């Protein structure tokens, strides 16, 4: 079975566009940077810049002799955005890390049990931002999109769509019926005709318009599939590795722990989030972490002026770590395991012997401790931890995670492409009418050996002691910065 697909992955830091064929081979790929505009609590990006970068990437592929006459276009990307459109124009995209809408939580008219019954999630975990904007700025938008990939689809086809994976995080979709649930937004000012159509990931959203064809080089009339949010796309891509059904950890700018599931399991803390899986009737249990690669990047810039390799060397300098030194990595508030948007990071246990190298390594340990807490809470017991995302580029971080978990860490040789492979699987499934597993396998041909990192067992006892200290200290961060 063969086909050629253009797959685009629009994340928080970069846009990747590639051409794949039905054997999983990448014929060509281009990456463009994505800029975030941050001002205090405001975290926004410019949709027009996304579109310009997408057109540029497509034209670059074409200039390399890679034809854009594909059988379909499929996109994935960051979820939980709020992209208001007025008269068909989107001026801004408010990102999931923007916390201005948190006060909207106090305006819910449904009970928490009713919200959980519809959405599969604790009422505090669903996104209130669009409700807040509907109340505060109703004149500024008449339609809304919820994901970066949906904006690309809108520009390509003129269609306003959303997939069930991303629909989950809006707090307005019934996770069981995979349809919008009007009771969830009654009283907010939102109307159904302002929302995008919910389509399954393999459904056709529309066809490339002539105007879009002139901007991108993709032939007019090419089908564009709905695709899915990056949480679902990465899960599809990760499932290919060793028939991995034990879950994985994503360590990008932000992070998450994810496990496929057949049932919903609400926690008392509301920290286990559920996404509708690409497969109807299935779910993805996920625990999001706001602080991951962004904290690593902060540390690299703070101590090494942005020099990644210098930071790797810095973490290797100390022969040993002070037993009291801890780093709490909540620089941007946190959603797991401490649910506190106002939480902040801190070093604890500093004495006169602490060096920059100790502090750099403590940052990696803090991230690993935080990640491990999510795995414990979500109930993953696999002997090997499958790790994906940009954080896996760091040798020091891979080893630190292996040591803290005391498990082998497996990193896909093609892990940066997993979301793109997962998105392409939607198009392959649509064209060939095959199973999700066959589609995911067809669009991903692993040509290199995965990286396997084994834990240093000599560090087990000391790291377990520090982990207990970390859990206690992190728990005390809840509410500390409320005043």
């Amino acid at each position: 079975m063969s086909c050629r697909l253009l797959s685009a992955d629009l994340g928080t830091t970069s846009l990747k566009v590639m051409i794949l064929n039905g054997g999983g081979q990448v014929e060509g790929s281009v990456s463009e940077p994505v800029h975030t505009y941050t001002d205090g609590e405001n975290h926004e990006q410019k949709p027009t810049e996304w579109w310009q970068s997408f057109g540029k990437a497509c034209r670059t592929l074409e200039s390399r002799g890679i034809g854009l006459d594909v059988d379909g276009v499929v996109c994935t990307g960051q979820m939980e955005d709020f992209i208001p459109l007025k008269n068909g124009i989107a001026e801004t995209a408010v990102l999931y890390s923007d916390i201005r809408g948190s006060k909207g939580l106090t305006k819910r008219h449904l009970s928490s049990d009713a919200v959980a019954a519809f959405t599969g999630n604790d009422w505090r975990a669903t996104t209130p931002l669009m409700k807040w904007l509907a109340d505060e700025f109703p004149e500024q938008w008449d339609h809304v999109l919820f994901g970066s990939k949906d904006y690309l689809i809108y520009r390509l086809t003129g269609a306003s769509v959303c997939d069930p994976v991303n629909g989950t995080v809006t707090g307005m979709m019934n996770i069981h019926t995979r349809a919008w649930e009007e009771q969830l937004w009654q009283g907010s000012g939102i109307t159904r005709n302002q929302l995008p159509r919910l389509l399954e990931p393999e459904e056709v959203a529309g066809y490339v318009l002539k105007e879009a064809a002139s901007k991108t080089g993709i032939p007019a009339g090419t089908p564009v599939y709905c695709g899915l949010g990056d949480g679902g796309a990465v899960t599809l891509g990760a499932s290919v590795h060793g028939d991995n059904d034990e879950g994985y950890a994503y360590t990008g700018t932000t992070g998450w722990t994810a496990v496929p599931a057949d049932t919903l399991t609400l926690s008392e803390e509301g920290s286990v989030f559920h996404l509708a899986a690409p497969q109807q009737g299935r779910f993805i249990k996920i625990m999001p972490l706001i602080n991951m690669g962004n904290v690593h990047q902060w540390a690299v810039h703070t101590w090494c002026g942005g020099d990644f390799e210098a930071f790797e060397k810095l973490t290797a300098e100390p022969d040993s770590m002070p037993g009291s030194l801890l780093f709490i990595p909540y620089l941007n508030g946190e959603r797991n395991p401490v649910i506190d948007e106002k939480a902040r990071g801190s070093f604890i246990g500093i004495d006169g012997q602490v060096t920059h190298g100790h502090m750099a390594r403590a940052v990696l340990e803090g991230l690993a401790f935080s990640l491990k807490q999510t795995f414990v809470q979500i109930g993953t017991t696999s002997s090997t931890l499958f790790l994906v995302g940009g954080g896996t580029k760091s040798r020091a971080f891979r080893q630190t995670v292996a040591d803290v978990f005391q498990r082998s860490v497996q990193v896909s040789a093609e892990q940066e492409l997993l979301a793109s492979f997962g998105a392409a699987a939607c198009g392959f499934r649509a064209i060939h009418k095959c199973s999700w597993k066959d589609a995911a396998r067809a669009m991903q041909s692993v040509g290199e050996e995965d990286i396997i990192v084994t834990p240093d067992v000599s560090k087990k006892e000391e790291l377990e002691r520090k982990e207990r200290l970390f859990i206690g200290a992190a728990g005390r961060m809840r509410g500390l910065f409320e005043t």
Side-chain angles (χ1 to χ4, degrees), residues 409-468:
V409 166
Q410 179 181 1
V411 176
S412 167
E414 298 178 311
Q415 55 88 21
E416 288 187 10
L417 307 181
L418 288 180
S420 297
F421 289 141
C426 301
F428 192 92
R429 171 174 160 80
I431 293 168
H432 295 291
K433 312 300 181 187
C434 61
S435 70
W436 277 111
K437 181 168 285 189
D438 286 344
R441 284 174 173 166
M443 295 313 300
Q444 185 176 174
S445 176
V446 180
E448 298 181 39
E449 291 282 334
D450 284 359
I451 299 169
I452 304 293
V453 182
T454 56
D456 183 343
V457 294
S458 69
K459 296 181 178 179
K460 181 176 185 295
E461 186 175 336
E462 176 61 17
L463 286 173
E464 285 179 346
R465 187 189 69 81
K466 291 186 74 173
E467 183 183 1
R468 291 192 292 271

Side-chain angles (χ1 to χ4, degrees), residues 154-159 207-214 218-222:
Y154 177 75
R155 293 301 300 264
L156 284 166
T157 69
Y207 300 87
V208 175
L209 301 170
K210 289 182 179 179
E211 181 182 355
S214 68
I218 304 170
T222 301

Side-chain angles (χ1 to χ4, degrees), residues 160-326:
S160 175
V161 301
C162 180
D163 64 278
V165 180
N166 199 20
T168 311
V169 297
T170 67
M172 294 190 287
M173 188 191 82
N174 186 321
I175 197 169
H176 306 286
T177 64
R178 299 163 80 94
W180 297 125
E181 185 63 55
E182 193 164 353
Q183 293 183 60
L184 290 166
W185 72 76
Q186 281 179 344
S188 69
I190 292 175
T191 61
R192 183 179 290 273
N193 63 7
Q194 291 177 303
L195 301 179
R197 283 189 305 147
L198 274 167
L199 297 177
E200 292 299 322
E202 69 271 32
E203 288 190 274
V204 174
Y207 300 87
V208 175
L209 301 170
K210 289 182 179 179
E211 181 182 355
S214 68
K215 297 289 186 182
T216 64
I218 304 170
T222 301
V224 179
Y225 298 98
C226 182
L228 69 178
D230 56 8
V234 173
T235 301
L236 269 180
S239 68
V240 173
H241 288 257
D243 289 326
N244 176 33
D245 229 13
E246 292 290 334
Y248 65 94
Y250 177 80
T251 58
T253 303
T254 55
W256 66 70
T257 298
V259 178
D262 294 317
T263 57
L264 303 177
T265 309
L266 284 175
S267 70
E268 292 183 1
E269 288 293 327
S271 52
V272 176
F273 196 82
H274 296 97
L275 296 177
Q279 306 90 336
Q280 295 191 43
R282 296 207 76 195
F283 309 98
I284 304 170
K285 289 201 298 185
I286 193 164
M287 296 190 71
L289 291 160
I290 292 177
N291 300 282
M292 190 51 62
N294 50 358
V295 176
H296 191 180
Q297 187 178 44
W298 164 80
V300 172
H301 280 276
T302 298
W303 284 290
C304 298
D307 188 330
F308 178 83
E309 282 301 324
F311 186 80
E312 291 281 284
K313 293 177 182 177
L314 182 64
T315 62
E317 283 182 4
D319 292 330
S320 61
M321 281 287 286
S324 62
L325 182 62
L326 297 172

Side-chain angles (χ1 to χ4, degrees), residues 101-109 123 128:
S102 60
K103 65 181 180 180
L105 291 173
T106 64
K107 299 182 180 181
R108 285 192 179 277
H109 65 287
W123 69 278

Side-chain angles (χ1 to χ4, degrees), residues 94-156:
V94 184
L95 305 190
Y96 58 86
S97 52
D98 191 302
I99 62 174
R100 284 174 290 167
S102 60
K103 65 181 180 180
L105 291 173
T106 64
K107 299 182 180 181
R108 285 192 179 277
H109 65 287
L110 289 179
S111 69
S112 58
D113 288 344
V115 172
F118 282 129
T119 67
N121 294 300
D122 182 275
W123 69 278
R124 291 165 296 182
T126 52
T127 306
L129 187 57
M130 64 284 301
K131 297 173 178 59
W132 173 68
L133 286 174
D135 289 339
E136 299 293 327
F137 306 108
E139 74 286 353
Q140 293 188 8
W141 61 284
D142 49 44
H143 288 84
V144 64
L145 298 173
F146 296 124
S148 58
K149 63 95 178 172
D150 297 324
Y151 180 76
L152 295 181
I153 293 173
Y154 177 75
R155 293 301 300 264
L156 284 166

